[in-house]
Structures are given as structure tokens and as C-alpha cells.
Amino acid sequence: MAIDIADDYFHKRPDHPYWNESGWFSFMKPERDLSGWIYFYHRPHVGYTVGGICAWDNTGSENYDCLCYDWGEPYPMKPETNMFDFEIDNGLKVSIVEPLKSYKFDYRGANAYTAGGCELDLTFTAPILPHDAGMPGGLDEWGKGH
């Protein structure tokens, strides 16, 4: 399957109400012993986006004791939302810098699992263009569309 710029935007939607499109990015800062991820998915048929971040260091490893955990709440999907171009009410903003290669993530939020709030200003730049890695035998249906 060829990957092109159209894949950075919503694909044709089947009728299933729980159909979604998702993105996941990890990050780390080894000298700080810091790791984390940004994960989101959109469900346009039901009108919401779930998205947020998690960050941890050697002081905690669960969502209740890590540095920041703000993920899992559904937020209303704004009409202008697209796959990698959206903002949700918990403070996460995602935008395309360069299609298929670079994405910008901003987060300004505070929640019950984050003492004092959390801010993130991160740009992900891929070292190579994306490619179809295929699916292992027998898993084609599971990975359909990935």
C-alpha cells in the first residue's frame, strides 16, 4: 500500500459509529531519564476526540505517580478538526509542520494526576519517509488500514 500526503488527513469513513483514526508518538530525553507519549484518536461519527499525554521518569511508573498523565477523556470534536490538525479542551494542540514528516505538539494542562500542571512543546521530525511495513501472517484483518 502506498503512503501519500492524503494519509495525514482523515480517510474515507465507513458507516460504523465507532470507527476511529488514531496517532501515537513517543518521546524521551535520556539525560533527564524522561520518557513519554502523546496518543489521540478521533471518532467523527460520534463527535469526539480522545487525546493527551503521559510523561514519567525514575520517580514513578504508573498513571497515579508519574510526572504527568492526562489521557482518556472524550472532548467535543470541533468542525475544523482533522487527523493531525486539532486542539482539544485539555490543552493538547497538534499540527502538521511538513506532511508525512514533521508534527508539532503543544500541551498546556493541569489535572488530578499532575502536580502543578504540565507543559510540552515538542516537534517530531521523522528521519525517513513513512513506509508500509505490512502485517505478519494471519493479522491482516486486525491491521486493516494501519
Side-chain angles (χ1 to χ4, degrees):
M1 173 193 312
I3 297 172
D4 63 30
I5 290 174
D7 289 310
D8 266 348
Y9 301 92
F10 286 138
H11 293 90
K12 185 176 184 321
R13 301 174 187 168
D15 291 334
H16 195 284
Y18 297 120
W19 174 85
N20 76 76
E21 290 207 62
S22 62
W24 179 84
F25 295 81
S26 63
F27 58 88
M28 64 184 309
K29 187 166 178 83
E31 62 274 14
R32 170 68 173 76
D33 198 19
L34 177 72
S35 299
W37 49 254
I38 301 157
Y39 175 52
F40 51 88
Y41 66 86
H42 307 282
R43 287 201 170 148
H45 290 311
V46 289
Y48 68 78
T49 295
V50 172
I53 74 166
C54 180
W56 62 92
D57 63 9
N58 61 351
T59 65
S61 59
E62 300 293 334
N63 40 336
Y64 64 85
D65 69 356
C66 65
L67 296 173
C68 179
Y69 185 86
D70 185 4
W71 189 88
E73 297 295 321
Y75 295 94
M77 193 170 154
K78 298 172 182 153
E80 65 273 13
T81 293
N82 214 310
M83 184 61 205
F84 296 106
D85 188 10
F86 66 92
E87 187 169 359
I88 54 179
D89 294 340
N90 69 347
L92 178 64
K93 180 178 181 182
V94 177
S95 53
I96 296 172
V97 175
E98 183 182 344
L100 298 178
K101 184 161 176 117
S102 187
Y103 307 88
K104 178 90 171 85
F105 303 95
D106 291 296
Y107 174 79
R108 307 284 180 269
N111 63 57
Y113 299 113
T114 305
C118 180
E119 293 186 5
L120 176 80
D121 180 352
L122 179 69
T123 300
F124 172 88
T125 302
I128 61 172
L129 289 175
H131 61 280
D132 182 3
M135 293 298 293
L139 295 177
D140 291 339
E141 185 59 30
W142 177 86
K144 192 175 187 179
H146 283 75

